[in-house]
Amino acid sequence: MAERVLITGAVRTPIGKYIGSLKEVEAYKLGAIVLNEAVARSKITPQKVDEVIFGQAYQNGESVNVARMSLLAAGWPVEIPGITLDRRCLSGLDSIFTGLVKIQSGYADVVAAGGVESMSRTEFYIPGEFMKWGMGGKKDPKWGLMPRGHGALPMWGLPFFDRIQRARVMSQPIERFGELNSMMSWAEAAARQEKISRQDADEWAVRSHRRAVAAMDQGRFDGEIIAVPTPVRKNKDLVFEKDETPRPDISLEKLAGLSTVYEDGICTAGNSSTENDGAAAVVIMSEKNAADLNAEPLAELISFGLAASDPRLTYPAVPAAVDKALKKAGLTLDDMDLIEIQEAFAAQVLADTKMMNLKESDLEAKVNVNGSGISLGHPIAATGTMRLVTLVHEMKRQQAEYGLVAICGGGGQGIAAVVKV
């Protein structure tokens, strides 16, 4: 029988809007903040951590291997290794799954895992094949010898790619699936195939914002958030401590006035998730190590499920992953007291709940009770960890027993996890 793996610390930053309050904070600094806080809440020292595993979908030249960068920026021992993985939106949850596997296989005792994303600081770039060949081949006074193909590249009037937008196109080979110029294209496919209307999507978006605003007003997120100092001027910081995107002024009338992105579609900026910045981390360890270290468990990781589907649809990967996770746990949807289904788009989450045969009463009482991606935002690789952190804290607050979290991702993949408090 596999060893039980427990979450002993779970924390996230507030979520910043695109080019908002966190725009000046490097991704690895966000990672460092949540690492130190997750360890502190576990009542252990960084020296007890065997490895750091982080997800980041938009790695860049200013923050390579953000897991290693973050632990070093946090002041942790240089002997602790760190690895960064990319399974797009699934990454933050998959990092925890990877840590669980290392613990259960005996290759680690304590793992810090999570996700980091700074979409505000994501690069524009020029693919190497367009201009790299022939560059370099000389000695630079600062950087030394630059081999052929490297060097400082002057602007030659060539267009840049936005790494965020380009990643949506290139999450699947064009020659096989055609060009998907946005993730929204498969949300529209979900709406068509599952017969979801514009009204349905807008009503879900209003629900998401109202629940997130209520959660903030009632202080439900306070226990899971660690504030982030943000530079405002020399020698002075502003503390960022509340999620930036929930809209208290949301209404169906306002959403109805927004234009759809595609002429024949239902998706708008108002019923879709946003681009965001933030980080989250958990500390996980075996039950034996938790006892030896006097670390109080928040929850137990019961099971995970991974699935994939046609990337032109993507949304069916979520119920498939949920089915795998529930079967592994020997449980059913009816056993779940709370459910988090990441809202990439209202059309997608409604399609997923329809495929999962969730009852209307369960939608109201169990699903995304504190809002989700449409209201809180979607810092891609951080989202999976963030949704799990929020789920665990809400389960503790409600004295719930079982919880489920599920995420869909670019390229047609889905992940789900079952936890017990």
Side-chain angles (χ1 to χ4, degrees), residues 34-150:
V34 292
L35 280 177
N36 276 332
E37 185 66 15
V39 162
R41 294 186 182 199
S42 296
K43 297 183 173 62
I44 63 171
T45 63
Q47 286 80 1
K48 297 295 184 182
V49 177
D50 294 306
E51 183 163 14
V52 173
I53 306 170
F54 267 174
Q56 188 182 22
Y58 294 108
Q59 297 184 59
N60 60 54
E62 299 300 304
S63 185
V64 296
N65 190 2
V66 75
R68 176 67 171 166
M69 283 280 283
S70 296
L71 77 90
L72 293 175
W76 288 19
V78 297
E79 292 78 13
I80 299 174
I83 186 171
T84 303
L85 57 84
D86 175 11
R87 206 192 287 266
R88 312 314 296 162
C89 312
L90 286 58
S91 305
L93 201 53
D94 205 12
S95 68
I96 300 168
F97 187 16
T98 303
L100 174 140
V101 171
K102 290 203 171 197
I103 291 170
Q104 289 188 333
S105 62
Y107 282 92
D109 294 321
V110 180
V111 171
V116 185
E117 209 72 79
S118 177
M119 299 183 80
S120 296
R121 300 177 68 88
T122 299
E123 295 167 324
F124 283 74
Y125 70 101
I126 300 173
E129 67 267 25
F130 289 155
M131 65 182 296
K132 188 173 182 181
W133 319 134
M135 293 299 298
K138 67 177 183 179
K139 189 171 183 178
D140 184 275
K142 181 177 181 180
W143 304 108
L145 177 66
M146 285 291 177
R148 190 171 180 83
H150 294 274

Side-chain angles (χ1 to χ4, degrees), residues 233-251:
R233 63 179 69 92
K234 192 173 182 180
N235 299 324
K236 186 177 173 76
D237 283 341
L238 178 70
V239 176
F240 177 57
E241 55 189 1
K242 288 188 179 295
D243 297 316
E244 201 164 17
T245 54
R247 296 280 301 272
D249 61 342
I250 197 77
S251 70

